[in-house]
Amino acid sequence: MTELLVSTDPLVDIGVNLSNSAFSDQLPEILRRAQQANVRQLVITGTSVHESEQAAAICEDFTQDFPGMLYSTCGVHPHDAKTFVAGTTTSQLRSIAQAPHVVAIGETGLDFNRNFSSPKDQEKAFEAQLELAAELSLPLFMHERDAHQRQFEILKQYRDHITDGVIHCFTGDKTALFNYLDLDLHIGITGWICDERRGLSLQSLVTSIPDQRLLLETDAPYLLPRTMTQKPKAKRNEPAFLPWVLQTVAKCKSQREEQVAHQTTQNAVAFFRLAQK
């Protein structure tokens, strides 16, 4: 197994796809390795009604062996927006959100890069989930790719009604970053920043993210940090590798890793209202 980089301070992984088949039958080992790396709490991403149900079930199934460690979101990803049925899907998400471990609405937002669902369907699903988040007073866990201007316009209309929001796995440009910051949103940073090829822009932009708005995530099993000295043979990312993201973020911000770890953990606990560990 790949040697772990251990954070001196506890970390929170705010976005991990533990319901993904890449983790089948290995969850106890995955969670124990996360603990060994001092990644103390995880927020499992829900990307559809089915995946949101699975994410909530994982939290419930492992709560006894890993108390206070697992939380989840519930939502419909823009790729799956075509499956969103007005009223019905909202009702299903509302029901899932009643589970004690569900801490946010999402993954929702817009993705005009691939348009697996039409922009019209995406916008309808996004607005429905914005309304649900406002109704339930839950923060939003948001995706955005090649759709910044439209997502920003929609968010401006709803910002006064939602408690909080994070643009997860941010990879946008300076204009997008500052527009989202102007809306008092949080920014999630993944292993994208560890990529010496496509992460250079993000490495320079991360210095513009206020410490109080910064959150860290793996988006596992995707985006394995390329800075790892010994990568797993399967090339699968997992929560235990979050310290590599921390290391690069701290270097880019010219801060101590302990400082970034402490601040981002405080941010995550407050944002998602997690139990203090």
Side-chain angles (χ1 to χ4, degrees):
M1 175 59 197
T2 302
E3 184 177 354
L4 296 179
L5 179 65
V6 180
S7 172
T8 57
D9 283 55
L11 293 174
V12 178
D13 186 347
I14 68 138
V16 53
N17 301 282
L18 283 189
S19 61
N20 189 284
S21 59
F23 297 120
S24 296
D25 303 321
Q26 300 176 44
L27 287 179
E29 292 84 355
I30 296 293
L31 297 177
R32 281 193 287 269
R33 280 198 293 271
Q35 290 179 327
Q36 291 167 11
N38 213 5
V39 181
R40 299 285 186 87
Q41 293 174 302
L42 315 175
V43 181
I44 307 171
T45 306
T47 57
S48 66
V49 170
H50 176 65
E51 292 293 329
S52 297
E53 290 173 337
Q54 283 195 306
I58 291 171
C59 294
E60 184 64 31
D61 291 345
F62 289 91
T63 187
Q64 186 171 349
D65 292 335
F66 299 91
M69 184 178 186
L70 298 174
Y71 299 86
S72 68
T73 72
C74 68
V76 176
H77 191 285
H79 287 345
D80 294 317
K82 57 181 175 291
T83 69
F84 200 102
V85 179
T88 301
T89 304
T90 301
S91 179
Q92 291 171 316
L93 294 177
R94 184 184 292 110
S95 178
I96 298 168
Q98 303 311 308
H101 301 290
V102 176
V103 292
I105 298 299
E107 181 174 357
T108 184
L110 303 177
D111 189 317
F112 294 167
N113 178 265
R114 296 184 180 179
N115 284 326
F116 289 139
S117 292
S118 71
K120 183 178 180 181
D121 284 343
Q122 290 185 47
E123 290 182 22
K124 287 182 177 179
F126 184 34
E127 293 195 32
Q129 290 173 88
L130 284 165
E131 292 170 3
L132 182 61
E135 173 194 333
L136 301 179
S137 296
L138 286 174
L140 282 153
F141 186 81
M142 292 177 283
H143 170 102
E144 182 265 302
R145 190 174 183 189
D146 294 349
H148 157 256
Q149 189 56 42
R150 187 62 186 129
Q151 184 145 321
F152 178 59
E153 291 169 357
I154 293 173
L155 279 170
K156 280 195 295 185
Q157 300 173 31
Y158 286 88
R159 186 61 186 94
D160 290 342
H161 305 287
I162 59 175
T163 60
D164 218 334
V166 57
I167 302 296
H168 115 94
C169 191
F170 179 81
T171 58
D173 60 17
K174 184 175 182 180
T175 298
L177 176 62
F178 279 81
N179 279 343
Y180 290 137
L181 291 175
D182 284 346
L183 291 180
D184 199 26
L185 299 176
H186 285 66
I187 306 295
I189 299 297
T190 65
W192 187 281
I193 199 170
C194 302
D195 193 322
E196 79 286 358
R197 306 159 306 169
R198 58 183 183 174
L200 296 179
S201 174
L202 185 59
Q203 289 175 16
S204 61
L205 280 178
V206 76
T207 60
S208 298
I209 302 174
D211 293 347
Q212 300 89 337
R213 307 272 194 88
L214 180 64
L215 297 168
L216 302 181
E217 54 181 320
T218 58
D219 202 25
Y222 315 111
L223 298 176
L224 182 72
R226 287 176 57 85
T227 49
M228 293 178 67
T229 51
Q230 183 184 1
K231 299 180 181 64
K233 292 180 180 179
K235 305 298 183 184
R236 180 193 67 188
N237 197 9
E238 60 178 86
F241 303 152
L242 188 62
W244 292 98
V245 179
L246 166 70
Q247 184 183 71
T248 300
V249 169
K251 182 179 179 180
C252 291
K253 289 177 72 70
S254 299
Q255 295 178 354
R256 293 181 296 108
E257 290 179 32
E258 295 87 345
Q259 178 183 351
V260 177
H262 179 72
Q263 182 67 62
T264 56
T265 293
Q266 280 192 320
N267 295 346
V269 167
F271 182 93
F272 292 108
R273 306 170 202 167
L274 307 181
Q276 296 278 3
K277 292 205 75 177

